[in-house]
Amino acid sequence: MGSTDHIVSSFDDELQEIRNAIIEMGGLAASQLESATRALVDRNTDLAQRTIETDAEIDALEKSIDNMAIRLLALRNPVADDLRLVISGLKMASLLERVADYAANMGKRGIALNQAPVIRMVSAIPRMSELVRRMIDDILAAYAQNDANLALDVWRRDQEVDQLYNSMFRELLTYMMEDPRSITSCTHLIFMAKNIERIGDHMTNIAEIIIYQITGNTPTESRPKADITSTTMIENELSLSSTNEGDK
Amino acid sequence: MLAKDMNTVYNDTKSIISAKDVSVFYGEKRALKSVSLDIPENQITALIGPSGCGKSTFLRCLNRMNDTIENCRVEGNITVDGQDIYAPHVDEVLLRARVGMVFQKANPFPKSIYDNVAYAPRIHGLAKNKDELDDIVLASLEKAGLLDEVKDLLNESGTGLSGGQQQRLCIARALAVQPDIILMDEPCSALDPIATAKVEELIEELRKNYTIIIVTHSMQQAARISQKTAFFHLGEIVEIGETEQLFTSPNDKRTQGYITGRFG
């Protein structure tokens, strides 16, 4: 953190403990996302099940970060950058816990999907997942190295994820219209994609927290937002042209 | 989010004290190096910094307490309400009535509680008769939050009170001459947490009618009670700002190092 150490060195140790736990938690969350995605692609129910079970580890880490932060606030009365680190740690831990929840939820949906026949694989999901996993990796690197520029870079990147999600959303809607038997599976896939998209959103939240922790300020430009699925309607376009695949 | 709007600048309060390029020398040693600071009216300004940084020296300039130290020379300009307090015609005794002071160690006179508070109004001729003097004494004790505790002990010695009560008695004594500004030099450093809390509560209460400048070694105290904080280091002001901002995102590395305990 700071260029010099605290006079009381155990204070430094405790702050470092929080940082290490956040990085560990982030690494676990990233690998949860990866497992859930692989379980989907390989139709691997065992792996999906393990992903669900591993969630408890991340929950436990969040609790231990909470405890460390509360103890530090009570006993050390941190101020300035120390205070920002502790508060940021608390907030990041709760966001990373949510990220892991989304991955676990993907695992559950993966198991459900495996009970149905294979539908056309949506390649956008692993692509989105890979994009978001790299966002997690970079956000953790930004955190570990106090690199506000890298955090800002991740913050801006969320737009790509949103765009992928938009096109995937439309694609799945047309599948469902073509073949109503696929509605159950496609709905699960939409939710999985939404989960990944939310994880990307959380990375922008974390990026803001990291920038605040390092600089004391949040980014001034408005947050890039490109998820337009909340307002997307598709039947009109289809009725206009029957040959249209619906994904212009 | 946690960050404040960086564009917010608080300039709407009037400065009651304005110090420009103030330097203080003890013999050859320069203890304060061209310090400029405006003190806003009816606010609590905290001066923090490591020992020997010049914060107490600066505080003592504001009511010319440094005049009493041999070899001490003050340069620069300090105005209270626009008047140069180092101008030749200024009566420093009257100045000190207007700019009162409370010290680290409670120092009641070895007199009754009543006489402790009545002493200065008598000297300054603030009361025409005994009734008026009674009013001043009771009102001052009331303002200092001490009246309920001592109203039946007014003739007992001030030195028989507890440390916290003695300190509040000293504050009552300062209030008795109707100052506008109260300087406090580590007023709680000899008090336990409960007595400290009572004095802090009193300081907050007094802010409505007085301008308070407090030197403190307790960073938490500065954070708790002040609106503005100035960080002194090696005879200079490193940073002055809104207390909240200074304790969450200080601008200067040295401030950050000091308040987070990394100094050295």
Side-chain angles (χ1 to χ4, degrees):
Chain A
M1 185 86 239
S3 48
T4 47
D5 295 340
H6 289 87
I7 297 165
V8 180
S9 61
S10 55
F11 192 179
D12 282 323
D13 298 342
E14 287 170 19
L15 290 170
Q16 193 56 45
E17 238 178 273
I18 290 186
R19 295 173 69 84
N20 292 345
I22 290 282
I23 291 166
E24 185 186 349
M25 209 180 159
L28 260 175
S31 81
Q32 285 287 88
L33 172 63
E34 213 175 346
S35 303
T37 309
R38 193 144 35 86
L40 169 73
V41 175
D42 300 347
R43 291 178 69 84
N44 185 338
T45 298
D46 286 347
L47 181 58
Q49 186 58 40
R50 279 205 302 281
T51 311
I52 297 167
E53 284 158 11
T54 309
D55 192 43
E57 283 180 37
I58 293 166
D59 290 353
L61 260 173
E62 187 203 8
K63 283 207 183 72
S64 84
I65 291 171
D66 280 0
N67 288 336
M68 286 188 253
I70 289 168
R71 195 183 60 214
L72 219 139
L73 286 170
L75 304 184
R76 304 275 189 199
N77 295 320
V79 290
D81 59 340
D82 298 336
L83 176 65
R84 299 203 301 268
L85 186 141
V86 176
I87 297 296
S88 299
L90 270 175
K91 297 179 86 169
M92 286 175 67
S94 110
L95 289 173
L96 289 171
E97 192 271 335
R98 292 293 301 150
V99 166
D101 281 350
Y102 286 127
N105 182 265
M106 287 173 69
K108 285 182 196 155
R109 293 184 188 280
I111 293 172
L113 279 173
N114 289 348
Q115 287 156 10
V118 188
I119 56 161
R120 239 180 308 180
M121 189 50 219
V122 182
S123 59
I125 287 195
R127 255 170 47 219
M128 271 177 79
S129 174
E130 178 58 20
L131 262 181
V132 169
R133 198 190 52 73
R134 266 191 240 139
M135 284 171 77
I136 303 178
D137 287 349
D138 286 349
I139 212 77
L140 292 174
Y143 182 69
Q145 295 151 20
N146 283 316
D147 186 341
N149 287 328
L150 183 54
L152 194 62
D153 178 53
V154 175
W155 187 73
R156 293 200 181 103
R157 246 191 276 161
D158 187 44
Q159 228 167 344
E160 296 167 47
V161 179
D162 286 352
Q163 277 154 1
L164 258 179
Y165 175 61
N166 291 337
S167 65
M168 214 210 85
F169 181 77
R170 296 169 69 89
E171 194 180 341
L172 283 165
L173 286 183
T174 50
Y175 288 171
M176 288 193 265
M177 290 172 141
E178 280 168 12
D179 180 6
R181 282 169 304 172
S182 72
I183 286 179
T184 310
S185 298
C186 284
T187 305
H188 280 304
L189 285 172
I190 287 185
F191 274 115
M192 291 175 97
K194 182 70 189 164
N195 283 353
I196 298 173
E197 191 270 332
R198 288 299 293 149
I199 294 175
D201 286 348
H202 282 339
M203 289 310 114
T204 61
N205 287 328
I206 292 181
E208 286 175 5
I209 293 169
I210 291 174
I211 292 167
Y212 170 73
Q213 182 193 302
I214 297 170
T215 65
N217 300 304
T218 38
T220 43
E221 55 190 279
S222 63
R223 184 190 277 208
K225 266 242 148 273
D227 172 9
I228 53 166
T229 57
S230 310
T231 52
T232 299
M233 293 295 287
I234 216 160
E235 63 253 279
N236 295 345
E237 297 170 31
L238 276 184
S239 60
L240 286 175
S241 144
S242 57
T243 52
N244 192 331
E245 283 291 305
D247 197 357
K248 268 185 188 162
Chain B
M1 201 51 224
L2 294 152
K4 71 277 146 227
D5 182 356
M6 280 303 279
N7 299 321
T8 319
V9 180
Y10 299 87
N11 255 339
D12 44 6
T13 42
K14 180 176 155 253
S15 298
I16 188 165
I17 297 180
S18 179
K20 280 198 183 60
D21 297 325
V22 175
S23 293
V24 176
F25 300 83
Y26 294 118
E28 289 299 300
K29 191 181 175 301
R30 195 177 182 194
L32 217 51
K33 300 169 190 165
S34 284
V35 166
S36 295
L37 181 63
D38 286 343
I39 306 284
E41 191 170 21
N42 291 92
Q43 288 199 7
I44 301 168
T45 301
L47 312 182
I48 61 169
S51 297
C53 67
K55 57 191 189 297
S56 290
T57 298
F58 178 76
L59 190 76
R60 295 164 64 87
C61 289
L62 302 179
N63 68 347
R64 294 184 53 173
M65 290 292 284
N66 287 328
D67 290 12
T68 60
I69 299 172
E70 213 175 324
N71 274 338
C72 179
R73 185 158 54 84
V74 178
E75 286 177 4
N77 182 267
I78 300 175
T79 59
V80 172
D81 260 345
Q83 290 184 310
D84 182 357
I85 61 168
Y86 280 87
H89 64 274
V90 170
D91 178 346
E92 65 261 32
V93 176
L94 288 179
L95 172 71
R96 286 175 203 143
R98 233 198 122 190
V99 185
M101 191 153 191
V102 175
F103 297 87
Q104 181 169 4
K105 198 169 173 306
N107 52 357
F109 302 135
K111 292 172 177 288
S112 71
I113 292 171
Y114 183 97
D115 284 337
N116 259 282
V117 183
Y119 187 78
R122 271 191 198 122
I123 288 183
H124 287 281
L126 294 180
K128 284 197 226 58
N129 52 45
K130 173 81 169 101
D131 280 352
E132 276 191 25
L133 192 59
D134 286 353
D135 286 348
I136 292 175
V137 169
L138 294 180
S140 303
L141 286 169
E142 169 82 55
K143 282 185 211 152
L146 193 60
L147 187 60
D148 285 347
E149 293 161 57
V150 302
K151 59 175 181 276
D152 300 323
L153 314 165
L154 291 178
N155 293 317
E156 308 280 318
S157 169
T159 53
L161 295 171
S162 74
Q165 288 172 325
Q166 287 189 22
Q167 195 59 298
R168 281 180 286 144
L169 178 61
C170 293
I171 293 173
R173 192 175 63 188
L175 296 178
V177 288
Q178 292 154 9
D180 296 315
I181 299 159
I182 303 170
L183 311 178
M184 298 186 170
D185 195 352
E186 297 252 20
C188 299
S189 63
L191 304 182
D192 69 35
I194 302 291
T196 298
K198 285 186 184 165
V199 171
E200 286 181 4
E201 167 69 15
L202 170 61
I203 292 172
E204 289 221 43
E205 184 64 29
L206 292 174
R207 171 163 97 84
K208 294 178 194 140
N209 300 308
Y210 306 91
T211 300
I212 294 165
I213 304 146
I214 179 168
V215 163
T216 176
H217 268 138
S218 162
M219 239 85 72
Q220 290 302 315
Q221 180 169 64
R224 280 193 300 264
I225 62 173
S226 71
Q227 284 73 52
K228 267 204 152 74
T229 299
F231 170 58
F232 282 71
H233 183 46
L234 300 174
E236 292 174 73
I237 292 183
V238 169
E239 184 166 352
I240 162 92
E242 301 298 315
T243 298
E244 187 187 326
Q245 197 253 322
L246 195 124
F247 280 96
T248 52
S249 320
N251 290 321
D252 195 285
K253 281 249 177 275
R254 289 167 290 175
T255 316
Q256 175 143 299
Y258 180 67
I259 64 176
T260 57
R262 292 196 192 98
F263 223 63

